[in-house]
Amino acid sequence: MAIPPQDEHGREHGTWHGPGHRHGPGQEPVQPAASVDALHQEPPKGRNARKATASVVLAVLAPASMIITAPMAMFAMLATYPSEGPSPMRWVTPLVFFSLPLLFALPSLALAILVMMAEPRTSQSRSSASAALIISGLVFALALGPGLDQLVGS
């Protein structure tokens, strides 16, 4: 192993660029693998297409999951509503019924909005995202009815 040349104080000659990045006379400095400009480029076209597809899949799963939550909501209604008179816990049944569909609809809306903002108007990904927005929006509108009913207290 060659010892690099040193000056009168025992320091090595050459340019210091941080640990492990020494180069001496006649050696080229190591260039970074990726330039900073590459970090500011737009994402590849396929990424938004995948987001749009995921948004549509989640949007379709949202109303389909109501089939799973409906029996549980019926059981919650049986458990919380008394035989006579109003129930003190009317909020339980809508919560059980819309819990899983809203868990699918919320990320679907977020992904669809990202795609709508990033894609041009004529893109196929944008039309898929708009379909996901419509389906997820309907799920949220359905959930909003019982929620507003609880706020009004009628």
Side-chain angles (χ1 to χ4, degrees):
M1 179 172 157
I3 299 173
Q6 297 179 351
D7 63 5
E8 67 273 359
H9 300 292
R11 293 181 294 218
E12 297 176 11
H13 287 288
T15 309
W16 175 255
H17 292 286
H21 296 285
R22 227 181 254 283
H23 67 273
Q27 294 177 341
E28 289 295 319
V30 177
Q31 296 295 325
S35 67
V36 176
D37 295 334
L39 298 174
H40 297 291
Q41 292 177 353
E42 290 186 23
K45 297 271 184 202
R47 181 173 290 168
N48 285 331
R50 287 190 298 264
K51 285 181 185 177
T53 304
S55 179
V56 169
V57 168
L58 287 170
V60 169
L61 285 175
S65 66
M66 288 182 187
I67 297 169
I68 296 170
T69 57
M72 292 185 278
M74 288 181 212
F75 182 72
M77 185 181 290
L78 285 173
T80 57
Y81 278 73
S83 298
E84 63 270 338
S87 172
M89 297 188 303
R90 293 180 14 203
W91 55 270
V92 175
T93 303
L95 177 72
V96 171
F97 185 65
F98 288 111
S99 60
L100 189 60
L102 289 178
L103 284 176
F104 286 126
L106 184 63
S108 172
L109 282 173
L111 286 172
I113 290 171
L114 287 174
V115 171
M116 294 290 281
M117 291 172 53
E119 289 292 315
R121 289 185 183 263
T122 59
S123 170
Q124 180 68 30
S125 299
R126 190 175 170 117
S127 61
S128 298
S130 64
L133 278 173
I134 291 170
I135 296 169
S136 296
L138 287 174
V139 171
F140 269 97
L142 285 172
L144 190 63
L148 289 177
D149 186 43
Q150 295 298 316
L151 286 177
V152 173
S154 56

